[in-house]
Amino acid sequence: MIYIKPEILKRVNSWQTPAFDEETQKKIKDTIASDPKGLEESFYKDLEFGTGGMRGIMGLGTNRINKYTLGKNTQGLSNYLIQAFPDETPKVAIAYDCRHNSKTFGKIVADVFSANGIKVYLFEDLRPTPELSFALKHLNCHCGIVLTASHNPPEYNGYKVYWQDGGQLVPPQEGEIIAEINSLEYSEIKFDANPQLIEYIGKEIDNVFIEASIENGSFNTSTAAKQNLNVVFTSLHGTSIMSIPETLKRAGYSNVHIVEEQREPDGNFPTVKSPNPEEPEALKMAMELAEKVNGDIVIGTDPDCDRLGIVVRNLENELVILNGNQTMLLMTDFLLQQWKNSDKINGNQFIASTIVSTPMMAVLADAYDVDYKIGLTGFKWIAKMIKDFPNQDFIGGGEESFGYMVGDFVRDKDAVTSTLLACEIAAQAKAEGKSLYKKLIDLYVEHGLYKERLISLTKKGIEGAQEIKQMMVDARNNPLHEINNSKVIRVEDYLTSTASDIKTSTNEALDIPKSNVLIYYTEDGSKIALRPSGTEPKIKFYISVNTALNNASDFKETEQLLENRIDAILKDMKL
């Protein structure tokens, strides 16, 4: 006997009404008989907006990415735009990546906007996410959409919403738009397009975007240094192939080797387990090519080209992957040095990062006498800082998850400009007889050696979501007082917006929006953060430890001591 919970059955039955096409209704009837458990997963909740928009598995149901969930989002957003700009014709820009159905979904979204009298600029083919942020501002749009699931597995897709400033939605607009979407019935979606309001865009935007990337990512590197840098690049079957090779070419980098087996955009991502540059396996083919051609630097980007992974040669000339924190430190220090050399630092500049990224960013800010702003995970919060502090210059900022933003011409993480910036740093270092790796060690000698590690536990489905929720509840109900024999001296709970000083037994308010994040600080300088992912069925543990590094020659030994400390922390926390 098939049993489906009454509240879920009610949701399922609502999708067997005339608001849904016959094919959808038939598929749902078939699924009731063949896969009631799968049906429950598909309908037990509505897809929610997380740190990077809304992502989910493609398929039928309220908890899936499909014509109707995207249509409802777009209808709600259309209603909001019309209310917010009553004296204007709202304009939106739409881009999409290489994932299955992205092009189809992009057209559906464009149709709904146009059916509501909204002008649409739709990219003619797949484009990088940062180009959408740029195009939105360039075309004076009110809003932008990217159809992407970033680095999630092939069965996923997603819907990122950008506002007038080029950044992703933040409060108060985010909450107001979500409320508008939730108030709608599926029968209210207008799917009948007005073709006169849909304009296709492409190369003309590519050209100005690439030129802007070169303007913001180039820093007086000599022609000889550029030509002498041996670069290996992989797009991991994603959209970056549309922009990065051309950007490097125009910027003067002629010695670029592309991983041909991964050049073609393909939503199956056939040569990798995961198209995530955080995963060493994703960069394996590029590293193999680098060994063949004696590459100096390897760069790989995720499917929508907003994040990048970088591989460099260590002191023994072996290829090693930099983590996101290390990349962020190198890029930020380089940018700060350029500003300092140009005598542009006057106390009115800032850099930015997130609460789960390396604390060394704050140390860099102090060293260069610039402001350091910190926010929740997600570049929408860095974009909000730029918007909230218009009288300050934003130099650059990033987060541990392999994303970086150079200046404010794009208001989201941007692997196009960041790739060029990485090549500029590497080319200048090589011309000086150094390497990126040596520059990183020099930073550690000057500011202290910081070591981070991320542990992710995947918990899929209804039970997994409940398990993650319970893990966070347990962490709050049973707080740690000691970690690896070091006393906890401060606890930050971003769900209650409270920071507790254990030594003084005092509390202070955290001036950051509420989020389900818990952070411990210990006497020995360790930092441990717990956070459920906003884009994947995971709970993440971020570990950061540090110590002084007196000489570059002590690097390997000191780094191993910190690795051992992290191992001990994980063992103590039973992770």
Side-chain angles (χ1 to χ4, degrees):
M1 180 178 174
I2 298 169
Y3 175 75
I4 300 174
K5 294 175 184 175
E7 64 271 22
I8 293 177
L9 188 59
K10 183 179 178 181
R11 283 172 170 261
V12 172
N13 287 337
S14 72
W15 278 52
Q16 297 187 80
T17 62
F20 300 86
D21 60 45
E22 290 183 8
E23 183 183 1
T24 297
Q25 295 179 52
K26 182 179 184 305
K27 282 183 178 177
I28 288 175
K29 283 179 183 174
D30 293 343
T31 308
I32 290 173
S34 63
D35 187 15
K37 174 68 174 173
L39 201 69
E40 188 175 352
E41 292 277 0
S42 299
F43 277 93
Y44 83 96
K45 67 172 185 175
D46 292 335
L47 273 181
E48 299 169 351
F49 281 82
T51 53
M54 188 181 78
R55 291 184 207 168
I57 296 170
M58 290 176 278
L60 296 176
T62 58
N63 188 36
R64 295 288 184 260
I65 294 287
N66 54 63
K67 169 183 176 179
Y68 296 101
T69 52
L70 294 180
K72 188 177 179 184
N73 278 355
T74 308
Q75 184 62 54
L77 187 50
S78 297
N79 293 351
Y80 185 86
L81 284 166
I82 291 165
Q83 294 164 23
F85 304 101
D87 301 323
E88 305 175 53
T89 298
K91 297 187 292 183
V92 302
I94 301 173
Y96 53 88
D97 69 3
C98 60
R99 286 182 176 272
H100 298 305
N101 302 313
S102 279
K103 188 167 189 172
T104 301
F105 288 152
K107 182 59 166 61
I108 289 169
V109 170
D111 289 349
V112 175
F113 277 129
S114 70
N116 284 276
I118 293 170
K119 170 69 177 178
V120 177
Y121 295 99
L122 175 63
F123 274 100
E124 62 190 1
D125 203 348
L126 71 165
R127 288 298 190 281
T129 287
E131 187 169 347
L132 183 278
S133 174
F134 174 84
L136 189 163
K137 292 173 65 185
H138 180 72
L139 296 168
N140 296 312
C141 291
H142 300 83
C143 173
I145 305 291
V146 181
L147 284 305
T148 177
S150 187
H151 59 280
N152 285 55
E155 63 269 24
Y156 281 75
N157 214 315
Y159 184 91
K160 285 185 182 179
V161 184
Y162 292 77
W163 206 239
Q164 276 181 297
D165 64 325
Q168 288 188 54
L169 280 183
V170 292
Q173 284 85 9
E174 184 178 46
E176 293 167 356
I177 289 168
I178 290 170
E180 183 68 38
I181 292 168
N182 291 340
S183 71
L184 288 173
E185 299 292 336
Y186 284 100
S187 58
E188 297 177 69
I189 305 169
K190 298 176 183 176
F191 283 115
D192 294 329
N194 179 349
Q196 316 252 305
L197 290 176
I198 300 176
E199 180 179 336
Y200 287 90
I201 57 176
K203 286 195 171 15
E204 67 282 7
I205 302 296
D206 297 342
N207 284 325
V208 287
F209 170 62
I210 288 171
E211 290 305 317
S213 298
I214 294 170
E215 181 183 344
N216 284 272
S218 296
F219 295 91
N220 301 315
T221 306
S222 70
T223 300
K226 290 177 181 180
Q227 293 175 348
N228 193 38
L229 186 71
N230 198 349
V231 182
V232 171
F233 170 71
T234 176
S235 58
L236 295 178
H237 305 288
T239 63
S240 63
I241 201 68
M242 308 293 289
S243 300
I244 287 180
E246 181 63 21
T247 300
L248 292 178
K249 179 182 175 182
R250 290 194 200 179
Y253 289 90
S254 55
N255 197 6
V256 178
H257 306 267
I258 296 174
V259 180
E260 293 296 334
E261 299 91 333
Q262 297 175 330
R263 176 193 282 266
E264 194 68 27
D266 188 336
N268 287 320
F269 311 111
T271 64
V272 293
K273 292 178 183 175
S274 168
N276 184 354
E278 290 182 81
E279 302 289 344
E281 183 272 337
L283 300 175
K284 183 173 180 287
M285 293 182 75
M287 292 171 71
E288 289 171 352
L289 178 58
E291 293 290 19
K292 287 180 183 176
V293 300
N294 195 29
D296 298 309
I297 185 171
V298 174
I299 299 174
T301 56
D302 67 347
D304 67 327
C305 188
D306 58 0
R307 300 186 312 129
L308 74 165
I310 296 176
V311 181
V312 298
R313 293 193 179 274
N314 65 12
L315 301 180
E316 289 75 39
N317 204 39
E318 301 164 330
L319 290 172
V320 293
I321 301 172
L322 299 179
N323 64 40
N325 286 307
Q326 293 171 324
T327 295
M328 172 170 54
L329 292 169
L330 281 165
M331 289 184 172
T332 304
D333 181 73
F334 180 83
L335 291 175
L336 287 166
Q337 192 64 53
Q338 303 308 307
W339 279 66
K340 182 179 178 180
N341 292 346
S342 301
D343 202 26
K344 293 195 298 183
I345 293 180
N346 57 16
N348 202 37
Q349 288 72 40
F350 76 96
I351 60 173
S353 191
T354 70
I355 58 175
V356 297
S357 298
T358 178
M360 191 172 162
M361 282 289 281
V363 178
L364 279 185
D366 287 342
Y368 284 92
D369 197 24
V370 300
D371 193 11
Y372 176 54
K373 301 186 191 299
I374 190 166
L376 296 175
T377 302
F379 270 72
K380 63 185 181 182
W381 300 110
I382 297 179
K384 187 176 187 297
M385 294 169 195
I386 297 170
K387 188 177 179 181
D388 289 347
F389 297 92
N391 296 322
Q392 284 187 278
D393 302 317
F394 174 68
I395 293 175
E399 60 182 8
E400 56 75 37
S401 59
F402 287 56
Y404 200 81
M405 183 161 71
V406 184
D408 65 357
F409 82 107
V410 167
R411 301 289 177 94
D412 202 354
K413 50 188 177 287
D414 172 9
V416 179
T417 315
S418 297
T419 293
L420 175 57
L421 176 61
C423 291
E424 291 280 291
I425 303 170
Q428 291 188 22
K430 187 176 182 181
E432 296 166 6
K434 292 186 177 181
S435 66
L436 278 183
Y437 198 78
K438 180 63 169 63
K439 288 181 76 71
L440 183 63
I441 294 173
D442 289 346
L443 282 180
Y444 289 147
V445 171
E446 185 175 357
H447 303 293
L449 176 52
Y450 285 73
K451 192 73 182 173
E452 281 81 28
R453 194 185 303 174
L454 169 63
I455 301 296
S456 294
L457 304 180
T458 300
K459 307 284 183 180
K460 294 184 178 181
I462 299 172
E463 293 84 359
Q466 186 57 44
E467 191 175 348
I468 290 172
K469 182 179 179 181
Q470 190 60 47
M471 289 173 78
M472 293 301 295
V473 169
D474 291 344
R476 289 189 168 89
N477 290 343
N478 305 286
L480 298 173
H481 303 291
E482 192 175 274
I483 302 173
N484 188 33
N485 299 316
S486 183
K487 288 182 180 178
V488 173
I489 58 172
R490 180 179 170 90
V491 179
E492 294 174 351
D493 189 342
Y494 289 84
L495 200 58
T496 61
S497 300
T498 305
S500 303
D501 187 311
I502 308 303
K503 285 185 175 180
T504 61
S505 299
T506 57
N507 295 331
E508 63 178 278
L510 292 168
D511 188 24
I512 286 180
K514 291 183 183 296
S515 184
N516 193 10
V517 182
L518 193 64
I519 303 180
Y520 293 100
Y521 298 85
T522 67
E523 274 187 328
D524 67 0
S526 300
K527 172 186 172 185
I528 299 95
L530 292 70
R531 169 185 165 265
S533 172
T535 55
E536 301 172 275
K538 294 179 177 180
I539 183 168
K540 297 186 174 184
F541 298 82
Y542 305 80
I543 319 294
S544 177
V545 296
N546 67 87
T547 191
L549 179 62
N550 297 320
N551 299 289
S553 58
D554 297 333
F555 172 69
K556 289 187 76 171
E557 182 182 354
T558 309
E559 183 184 42
Q560 189 57 55
L561 286 173
L562 292 182
E563 291 282 13
N564 294 343
R565 190 187 300 177
I566 292 175
D567 289 339
I569 288 171
L570 295 175
K571 183 178 180 182
D572 191 45
M573 294 182 68
K574 298 179 172 59
L575 291 175

